[in-house]
Amino acid sequence: RFGGSYPGMLAAWSRLKYPHLIYAAVSNSAPVQVVLDFPQYNDVVAASLRNEMVGGSDECFDVVSTGHDEIASMLTVGTDTETDAAREKIANLFNVCGGAESLAVDKNVHAFLGDGVVYIPVQENDPSCDGDLCNIEKICHFLTSPSSSLSSMEKLAQMSKKLSYGSCMDINWENKISYLSSDAAREEGNRSWQWQTCTEMGFYQTCEINSPNSTHAYSCPYGKGYHTVDQDLEICERAFGIDAELVPKNVEDTLTYYGGWDMAGSRILSVNGDIDPWSALSMNKKDSKSSSHSNDNGIDPDIDMPTYWSKGASHHFWTHQVKESDGDEIQATRKMIHDWVIDVLFDQSDNNDDGSKEEATVNVREDVEVGNFDFDTSGGTSTA
């Protein structure tokens, strides 16, 4: 089995649960450690904005983080008159649909700040994309331009308007609930995934405030404290009729059934990009059962569940269509996967649980090269 993202989870889980049917699996960018609250997603976003390998920098992160702090401060500090003036200014800067009145509703403000006032495509970062502000490097160059004397908030507003092409920004929370309850969301595939988060996965990408007693220092670059799990649980209740109290249990049941980082499988290769926010929940730990990292082109054949980091890569980027612009790391990752699969398929040393030899029945075309793999360009990739 071969898959990327959710299909990558299924690839690993099918090998885990049906080893008599699935001989081996390549699990790409697969967040198998399902959790309800997933603030680590934005921790990786923050690290990626700082990552010089993909065009990030400390200054770029500071602009994004400080800009959100400035907006939050304007909306919460001062007299009623000052707050009204702040709402008017921010609504104009970001071309908010409904103007200042929209920012007078707390849930709208949370929707506005909690997931970022600008869209930053960290998860799908493509170093060779052609559009304006289409990757981390182009965004960071725009936000850190030395010729700009704007505040961080104003730089974010400038970026937002450049990306919106004149359309206003809809921050209305009730509109979001209505959409996720609609036939349009069902037809576009957004409703089905949202339902699955409520019934199985969680994965709610919150933006946490660090507390003195916290065991983890969160680094979300957006509006800290403005995206909490309560918002996602409200969607479960209102869009699907699923009691908020059941959602944590649903997630825990999934984790218990498959095992998360502690799943005791074999012949499962987990590959991740270090720019990908989902990598925080993938099989990527040196101390995972039967698992070990490798950053070269070789994988120890004695490791049951090896893991591999693709440096500078976003969400299963190496499974996308092969392009001449693909960097050395992406090409090396594809070669590593190819070599591991071939080694596994022709390794005659594997035993079944009863001690008998297990062999894979395969037909391999000798004329197929790694560079000619027909990788799917869609969001998820799955091949039996």
Side-chain angles (χ1 to χ4, degrees), residues 348-362:
Q348 302 301 310
S349 64
D350 289 310
N351 292 331
N352 291 314
D353 291 339
D354 61 2
S356 62
K357 295 290 184 182
E358 180 176 6
E359 298 182 2
T361 302
V362 296

Side-chain angles (χ1 to χ4, degrees), residues 95-125:
N95 193 22
V96 173
C97 300
E101 291 184 5
S102 290
L103 291 169
V105 180
D106 285 345
K107 288 186 178 181
N108 294 351
V109 174
H110 285 214
F112 177 54
L113 282 169
D115 294 315
V117 298
V118 291
Y119 177 64
I120 302 176
V122 173
Q123 178 176 319
E124 57 269 26
N125 187 65

Side-chain angles (χ1 to χ4, degrees), residues 178-349:
S178 296
Y179 168 72
L180 290 172
S181 304
S182 69
D183 290 338
R186 180 182 293 108
E187 293 166 1
E188 293 166 7
N190 293 322
R191 181 170 166 82
S192 57
W193 173 248
Q194 194 71 46
W195 174 82
Q196 200 167 6
T197 68
C198 299
T199 58
E200 294 181 79
M201 306 296 182
F203 291 145
Y204 299 129
Q205 296 155 23
T206 55
C207 192
E208 306 281 6
I209 298 176
N210 286 310
S211 66
N213 298 323
S214 176
T215 58
H216 179 86
Y218 298 110
S219 53
C220 175
Y222 306 135
K224 299 170 186 62
Y226 283 88
H227 184 163
T228 66
V229 169
D230 289 344
Q231 292 163 254
D232 301 288
L233 296 180
E234 181 180 343
I235 291 173
C236 293
E237 286 193 321
R238 297 183 61 190
F240 303 102
I242 299 172
D243 193 317
E245 294 182 357
L246 291 178
V247 180
K249 183 181 183 304
N250 293 339
V251 175
E252 186 61 31
D253 287 347
T254 302
L255 185 62
T256 299
Y257 183 71
Y258 291 111
W261 286 327
D262 292 326
M263 64 178 176
S266 63
R267 288 198 294 274
I268 300 172
L269 170 64
S270 297
V271 187
N272 293 283
D274 64 354
I275 295 301
D276 178 21
W278 292 99
S279 67
L281 297 180
S282 67
M283 291 294 289
N284 62 16
K285 306 292 186 183
K286 289 185 178 180
D287 57 354
S288 295
K289 282 185 178 179
S290 306
S291 180
S292 175
H293 282 305
S294 175
N295 284 320
D296 55 29
N297 288 338
I299 293 291
D300 186 343
D302 295 327
I303 299 295
D304 285 335
M305 295 196 298
T307 67
Y308 182 92
W309 282 108
S310 185
K311 296 295 184 181
S314 56
H315 198 49
H316 64 90
F317 191 85
W318 52 94
T319 71
H320 295 183
Q321 183 178 16
V322 174
K323 297 180 181 178
E324 291 184 3
S325 58
D326 291 335
D328 292 344
E329 284 286 346
I330 296 300
Q331 296 180 49
T333 300
R334 289 173 178 148
K335 184 180 187 304
M336 181 280 301
I337 294 172
H338 171 271
D339 291 349
W340 182 83
V341 170
I342 295 301
D343 286 345
V344 166
L345 291 180
F346 289 96
D347 180 9
Q348 302 301 310
S349 64

Side-chain angles (χ1 to χ4, degrees), residues 14-23 267 352-353 358:
S14 62
R15 165 61 188 162
L16 175 71
K17 293 296 185 180
Y18 304 101
H20 59 296
L21 299 176
I22 308 298
Y23 186 76
R267 288 198 294 274
N352 291 314
D353 291 339
E358 180 176 6

